[in-house]
Amino acid sequence: MGTDTAIVLLLAGLIFLVALGLGVWKYRQMVRSEEHLAHPYVDIAHRAALLYSFATLLIAVFVELSAWPPVVDLVAAGIVVGFFVMAIATYVYHGWRRDTDNQLRRPVRGTTAFMAVLIAGEIGGFAVLLIGFVQTQLL
Protein backbone atom coordinates (compact mmCIF):
# COMPACT_ATOMS: atom_id res chain seq x y z
CA MET A 1 0.00 0.00 0.00
CA GLY A 2 1.28 3.43 -0.89
CA THR A 3 1.77 6.22 1.62
CA ASP A 4 -0.93 8.23 -0.16
CA THR A 5 -3.45 5.43 0.42
CA ALA A 6 -2.35 5.01 4.04
CA ILE A 7 -2.89 8.72 4.68
CA VAL A 8 -6.39 8.64 3.20
CA LEU A 9 -7.22 5.50 5.23
CA LEU A 10 -6.01 7.26 8.36
CA LEU A 11 -8.29 10.20 7.53
CA ALA A 12 -11.21 7.79 7.08
CA GLY A 13 -10.49 6.31 10.50
CA LEU A 14 -10.23 9.72 12.14
CA ILE A 15 -13.51 10.87 10.59
CA PHE A 16 -15.16 7.65 11.78
CA LEU A 17 -13.81 8.25 15.29
CA VAL A 18 -15.24 11.78 15.22
CA ALA A 19 -18.56 10.31 14.04
CA LEU A 20 -18.62 7.99 17.04
CA GLY A 21 -17.97 10.92 19.36
CA LEU A 22 -20.71 12.92 17.67
CA GLY A 23 -23.01 9.95 18.27
CA VAL A 24 -22.39 10.30 22.00
CA TRP A 25 -23.23 14.02 21.81
CA LYS A 26 -26.38 13.20 19.83
CA TYR A 27 -27.41 10.54 22.34
CA ARG A 28 -26.90 12.90 25.29
CA GLN A 29 -29.10 15.52 23.64
CA MET A 30 -31.78 12.94 22.86
CA VAL A 31 -31.85 11.73 26.46
CA ARG A 32 -32.12 15.27 27.84
CA SER A 33 -34.71 16.55 25.37
CA GLU A 34 -38.42 16.45 26.12
CA GLU A 35 -38.99 15.36 22.51
CA HIS A 36 -36.07 12.90 22.72
CA LEU A 37 -34.49 14.50 19.69
CA ALA A 38 -31.06 16.02 19.23
CA HIS A 39 -30.66 19.43 17.64
CA PRO A 40 -31.04 18.97 13.85
CA TYR A 41 -27.44 19.96 13.18
CA VAL A 42 -26.08 17.59 15.83
CA ASP A 43 -28.01 14.83 14.06
CA ILE A 44 -26.76 16.01 10.67
CA ALA A 45 -23.15 16.22 11.91
CA HIS A 46 -23.31 12.67 13.26
CA ARG A 47 -24.83 11.19 10.12
CA ALA A 48 -22.63 13.19 7.76
CA ALA A 49 -19.47 12.12 9.60
CA LEU A 50 -20.53 8.47 9.38
CA LEU A 51 -21.25 8.77 5.66
CA TYR A 52 -18.13 10.80 4.91
CA SER A 53 -15.94 8.28 6.74
CA PHE A 54 -17.13 5.54 4.40
CA ALA A 55 -16.90 7.84 1.38
CA THR A 56 -13.29 8.48 2.40
CA LEU A 57 -12.69 4.71 2.40
CA LEU A 58 -14.00 4.61 -1.17
CA ILE A 59 -11.65 7.44 -2.09
CA ALA A 60 -8.74 5.47 -0.57
CA VAL A 61 -9.50 2.57 -2.93
CA PHE A 62 -9.38 4.89 -5.93
CA VAL A 63 -6.14 6.43 -4.65
CA GLU A 64 -4.60 2.95 -4.39
CA LEU A 65 -5.71 1.94 -7.89
CA SER A 66 -4.98 5.23 -9.67
CA ALA A 67 -2.37 5.66 -12.40
CA TRP A 68 -1.40 9.15 -11.21
CA PRO A 69 1.71 9.88 -9.16
CA PRO A 70 1.04 9.68 -5.40
CA VAL A 71 1.23 13.46 -4.98
CA VAL A 72 -1.57 13.97 -7.54
CA ASP A 73 -3.73 11.35 -5.85
CA LEU A 74 -3.07 12.81 -2.42
CA VAL A 75 -3.89 16.36 -3.50
CA ALA A 76 -7.10 15.23 -5.25
CA ALA A 77 -8.17 13.15 -2.26
CA GLY A 78 -7.14 15.89 0.15
CA ILE A 79 -9.39 18.40 -1.58
CA VAL A 80 -12.40 16.08 -1.39
CA VAL A 81 -11.76 14.99 2.19
CA GLY A 82 -10.95 18.56 3.22
CA PHE A 83 -14.40 19.66 2.08
CA PHE A 84 -15.95 16.68 3.91
CA VAL A 85 -14.26 17.84 7.11
CA MET A 86 -15.31 21.46 6.56
CA ALA A 87 -18.92 20.36 6.10
CA ILE A 88 -18.85 18.32 9.31
CA ALA A 89 -17.26 21.25 11.16
CA THR A 90 -19.99 23.57 9.91
CA TYR A 91 -22.69 21.18 11.11
CA VAL A 92 -21.00 20.87 14.51
CA TYR A 93 -20.79 24.67 14.72
CA HIS A 94 -24.52 25.08 14.11
CA GLY A 95 -25.33 22.21 16.46
CA TRP A 96 -23.18 23.74 19.19
CA ARG A 97 -24.65 27.22 18.75
CA ARG A 98 -28.20 25.95 18.15
CA ASP A 99 -28.61 28.98 15.93
CA THR A 100 -30.56 27.47 13.04
CA ASP A 101 -32.22 24.36 11.75
CA ASN A 102 -31.37 25.29 8.14
CA GLN A 103 -28.11 27.09 7.41
CA LEU A 104 -29.27 28.04 3.92
CA ARG A 105 -32.43 29.81 5.11
CA ARG A 106 -30.40 32.93 5.95
CA PRO A 107 -26.97 32.24 4.48
CA VAL A 108 -24.01 34.29 5.60
CA ARG A 109 -22.03 36.29 3.08
CA GLY A 110 -19.91 34.04 0.88
CA THR A 111 -22.06 30.92 1.28
CA THR A 112 -22.92 30.72 -2.42
CA ALA A 113 -19.28 31.12 -3.46
CA PHE A 114 -18.16 28.56 -0.89
CA MET A 115 -20.76 26.07 -2.11
CA ALA A 116 -19.61 26.57 -5.71
CA VAL A 117 -15.99 25.90 -4.70
CA LEU A 118 -17.08 22.88 -2.62
CA ILE A 119 -19.00 21.42 -5.56
CA ALA A 120 -16.10 21.96 -7.96
CA GLY A 121 -13.57 20.63 -5.44
CA GLU A 122 -15.45 17.48 -4.51
CA ILE A 123 -16.52 16.57 -8.04
CA GLY A 124 -13.23 17.63 -9.60
CA GLY A 125 -11.08 15.90 -6.99
CA PHE A 126 -12.94 12.65 -7.31
CA ALA A 127 -12.99 12.91 -11.13
CA VAL A 128 -9.18 13.06 -11.08
CA LEU A 129 -9.07 9.85 -9.04
CA LEU A 130 -11.68 8.15 -11.23
CA ILE A 131 -9.77 9.04 -14.40
CA GLY A 132 -6.57 7.70 -12.80
CA PHE A 133 -8.40 4.47 -11.98
CA VAL A 134 -9.76 4.11 -15.53
CA GLN A 135 -6.31 4.69 -17.02
CA THR A 136 -4.60 2.05 -14.95
CA GLN A 137 -7.36 -0.54 -14.60
CA LEU A 138 -9.44 -0.34 -17.76
CA LEU A 139 -7.27 1.03 -20.57
Side-chain angles (χ1 to χ4, degrees):
M1 172 186 337
T3 303
D4 51 351
T5 303
I7 289 169
V8 177
L9 284 173
L10 174 62
L11 293 173
L14 292 172
I15 294 169
F16 188 71
L17 187 61
V18 167
L20 296 174
L22 290 171
V24 173
W25 184 25
K26 178 180 170 179
Y27 169 75
R28 290 176 52 94
Q29 283 195 359
M30 291 170 69
V31 168
R32 294 178 178 172
S33 165
E34 288 183 21
E35 303 84 24
H36 299 290
L37 296 172
H39 184 274
Y41 271 96
V42 172
D43 185 48
I44 290 168
H46 173 242
R47 292 174 191 227
L50 286 171
L51 291 170
Y52 286 146
S53 70
F54 285 93
T56 303
L57 283 174
L58 179 67
I59 289 167
V61 172
F62 281 89
V63 165
E64 181 66 16
L65 300 174
S66 172
W68 303 124
V71 69
V72 172
D73 291 332
L74 198 52
V75 168
I79 290 168
V80 177
V81 175
F83 279 115
F84 289 172
V85 170
M86 284 188 268
I88 295 165
T90 300
Y91 306 147
V92 167
Y93 173 79
H94 289 299
W96 185 266
R97 291 200 53 210
R98 296 177 176 250
D99 60 348
T100 186
D101 62 356
N102 185 334
Q103 67 182 4
L104 298 178
R105 184 176 295 128
R106 284 182 229 82
V108 298
R109 185 174 181 199
T111 298
T112 301
F114 177 78
M115 292 304 293
V117 172
L118 178 146
I119 291 165
E122 286 185 354
I123 294 172
F126 185 72
V128 167
L129 297 173
L130 183 61
I131 292 167
F133 167 80
V134 169
Q135 286 185 344
T136 191
Q137 302 299 321
L138 301 174
L139 296 180

